[in-house]
Amino acid sequence: MIKKVALVVGARPNFMKAAPLMRELLRHKNTLQPWLIHTGQHYDRALSQLFFEELGIPEPDLYLGVGSGTHAEQTARIMMEIEGPLQAQAPDLVVVFGDINSTMAAAIVAKKLNLKLAHVEAGLRSFDETMPEEINRIVTDRLADYLFVSEQSGLDHLAAEGVPAKKIYFTGNIMIDSLVSNLTLARNNDILDRLELTSGEYIAMTMHRPSNVDDRESLRDLMRCIGDISKRLPIVFPCHPRTRKRFEEFGLTDGGSGNRVMLIDPVGYLEFLKLQSEARLVLTDSGGIQEETTYLGIPCVTMRENTERPATVDLGTNVICGTDPAAITAAVDSVFAGKGKKGRIPDLWDGHTAERIVAILHEVL
Ligand code: UD1
Ligand code: UDP
């Protein structure tokens, strides 16, 4: 009998994780039938539709259109909108990805309907409960029946939390599946020409964590520091709408950074891969970008106090420098001085994670 597998996505970092699994499920449509739900947590074309087109993800079967709101509002709306359809369709499995509000909301509803639940990117922990994603990770992992883990630390944390070993599968990093299959295409992207940037002679940057951008003083100090760094090498900063909104709210014209930071709208997946792959270094507070730079061997300076992805530090090219401007400058200086980390690619970040997951689904469903 064909088993129905619901995939729930909602925001930018979900799409490059769901695309490889969707493709692999469609290769096995005699046995597994995907059913794609988009919550609409992200709705701007540049954060959503564009990724469906670039990554060849089929149109969602169901679009919930929940939009933005406070954590409680957004989470509640997702739960209310997804409950009826999940109940009506009664899929054999619900798959959620990563650590966004859509992940946790769908997980709670699925389990209360007694549906089987799989979490892709399970076990990651920052141990910082002021970070909304940490709550989403803990709740989702606690509920999941099948936990697909991307790096060694995930295995360690789940074991320490007492999750039964039979629920845990070390399948590797599914985001890297998307990277591997799109890298050639990305390398041919012409964004460097369009932005008049020279390979190896610019910094690519992103910043959108609430802890960095939601407080006026912190954001101003960070952008001042970034403005200073940009006097030495151009910085291209595709700006997340959360951050853009804060710049406006706080009256920080040009992000308060002086005029060499190229503040542009969020770019597509291929464009951002190209920007990362030829940057001297990447400056970020993103989760996924810490991993992509490690795969690409590009030095990454992460403007956060912690990471839930320690393999990028222990094995990869990532440095966690915190958010103190002096520390950020020192970390960037170190890369400029030729001391950027070389690193290696963690185990099972090899482009075959979706295949391993689908092989397991065939066994367990
Ligand atoms: C969310 C995720 C975060 C992830 C990020 C990826 C949670 C708790 N956070 O954060 O883990 O790193 O996505 O990009 O799930 N907005 C728009 N257009 C959109 C979407 C949002 O303008 O299409 C603006 C709205 O003003 C909104 C704000 O961005 O209030 C924040 O959006 P939200 O989805 O709540 O959180 P993110 O900061 O995007
Ligand atoms: N990304 C993108 N365009 C951008 C910025 C990021 O395509 O302008 C991609 C990036 O390459 C990675 C993913 O978005 O694949 C990371 O998502 P994000 O930083 O929004 O979320 P996080 O990983 O922090 O949850």
Side-chain angles (χ1 to χ4, degrees):
M1 211 177 68
I2 298 183
K3 301 288 182 179
K4 189 166 202 166
V5 180
L7 307 185
V8 182
V9 294
R12 179 167 70 187
N14 278 173
F15 305 133
M16 55 295 291
K17 295 169 194 170
L21 186 58
M22 188 70 185
R23 198 173 49 229
E24 191 59 16
L25 288 170
L26 288 172
R27 275 197 340 114
H28 292 88
K29 56 178 177 237
N30 294 337
T31 45
L32 298 167
Q33 180 195 359
W35 179 50
L36 184 62
I37 304 172
H38 185 339
T39 66
Q41 175 172 345
H42 281 178
Y43 42 87
D44 287 352
R45 178 179 157 71
L47 294 181
S48 177
Q49 180 63 28
L50 185 54
F51 292 85
F52 279 70
E53 292 164 15
E54 286 186 310
L55 296 164
I57 310 172
E59 284 292 304
D61 297 289
L62 185 64
Y63 184 76
L64 303 177
V66 300
S68 308
T70 66
H71 284 278
E73 286 166 350
Q74 192 175 57
T75 307
R77 244 184 265 138
I78 298 165
M79 291 176 71
M80 287 162 68
E81 294 299 324
I82 208 169
E83 185 179 39
L86 280 184
Q87 188 162 28
Q89 294 282 334
D92 297 285
L93 179 71
V94 177
V95 185
V96 296
F97 301 85
D99 55 16
I100 63 168
N101 284 346
S102 301
T103 311
M104 180 187 73
I108 294 173
V109 174
K111 282 303 280 184
K112 289 207 167 179
L113 292 171
N114 292 321
L115 300 171
K116 290 287 180 202
L117 176 69
H119 184 204
V120 177
E121 205 183 84
L124 298 183
R125 297 288 181 268
S126 65
F127 298 100
D128 174 3
E129 291 185 6
T130 66
M131 189 182 184
E133 293 81 0
E134 184 72 355
I135 316 277
N136 295 340
R137 292 180 202 117
I138 292 169
V139 173
T140 305
D141 284 342
R142 180 64 189 78
L143 297 177
D145 300 286
Y146 309 108
L147 296 100
F148 296 120
V149 175
S150 56
E151 62 160 75
Q152 180 61 43
S153 75
L155 299 174
D156 300 342
H157 298 143
L158 294 174
E161 289 172 18
V163 178
K166 64 177 191 304
K167 290 184 169 186
I168 304 170
Y169 301 88
F170 185 31
T171 44
N173 191 334
I174 201 158
M175 211 177 179
I176 301 302
D177 286 18
S178 275
L179 193 163
V180 167
S181 53
N182 285 286
L183 192 54
T184 306
L185 208 54
R187 288 205 195 280
N188 292 329
N189 190 280
D190 64 355
I191 188 163
L192 294 193
D193 297 337
R194 279 185 277 127
L195 297 177
E196 298 181 2
L197 292 168
T198 308
S199 180
E201 291 180 29
Y202 65 92
I203 295 172
M205 162 175 170
T206 75
M207 184 167 73
H208 70 275
R209 294 260 92 82
S211 54
N212 281 341
V213 307
D214 283 0
D215 175 72
R216 187 180 191 284
E217 309 303 305
S218 316
L219 182 59
R220 188 203 53 204
D221 291 351
L222 279 169
M223 288 306 294
R224 251 188 219 150
C225 162
I226 285 151
D228 286 342
I229 294 170
S230 74
K231 289 178 192 149
R232 297 153 64 194
L233 209 62
I235 298 184
V236 55
F237 177 9
C239 190
H240 190 284
R242 171 188 285 278
T243 312
R244 181 77 75 175
K245 207 168 93 182
R246 296 298 179 234
F247 287 151
E248 283 159 21
E249 243 174 71
F250 300 153
L252 294 168
T253 37
D254 198 25
S257 65
N259 57 13
R260 285 197 66 188
V261 176
M262 302 169 70
L263 268 184
I264 60 175
D265 287 337
V267 297
Y269 182 70
L270 298 173
E271 291 178 317
F272 199 69
L273 264 190
K274 173 73 171 181
L275 283 177
Q276 291 186 79
S277 67
E278 303 208 15
R280 172 85 63 87
L281 74 100
V282 174
L283 200 53
T284 194
D285 61 8
S286 159
I289 291 169
Q290 296 172 59
E291 299 184 332
E292 290 171 339
T293 44
T294 273
Y295 184 87
L296 294 166
I298 300 291
C300 182
V301 172
T302 298
M303 302 177 287
R304 285 176 45 184
E305 304 298 338
N306 49 57
T307 182
E308 62 288 339
R309 300 162 207 269
T312 61
V313 177
D314 300 340
L315 307 174
T317 56
N318 191 19
V319 172
I320 304 293
C321 69
T323 53
D324 173 41
I328 296 171
T329 307
V332 168
D333 279 345
S334 165
V335 177
F336 283 174
K339 295 184 198 142
K341 288 167 77 178
K342 300 281 179 285
R344 75 163 177 88
I345 298 173
D347 294 342
L348 301 190
W349 292 25
D350 60 358
H352 298 289
T353 293
E355 289 159 43
R356 286 187 283 269
I357 291 177
V358 167
I360 292 162
L361 297 188
H362 274 127
E363 269 170 42
V364 299
L365 290 182

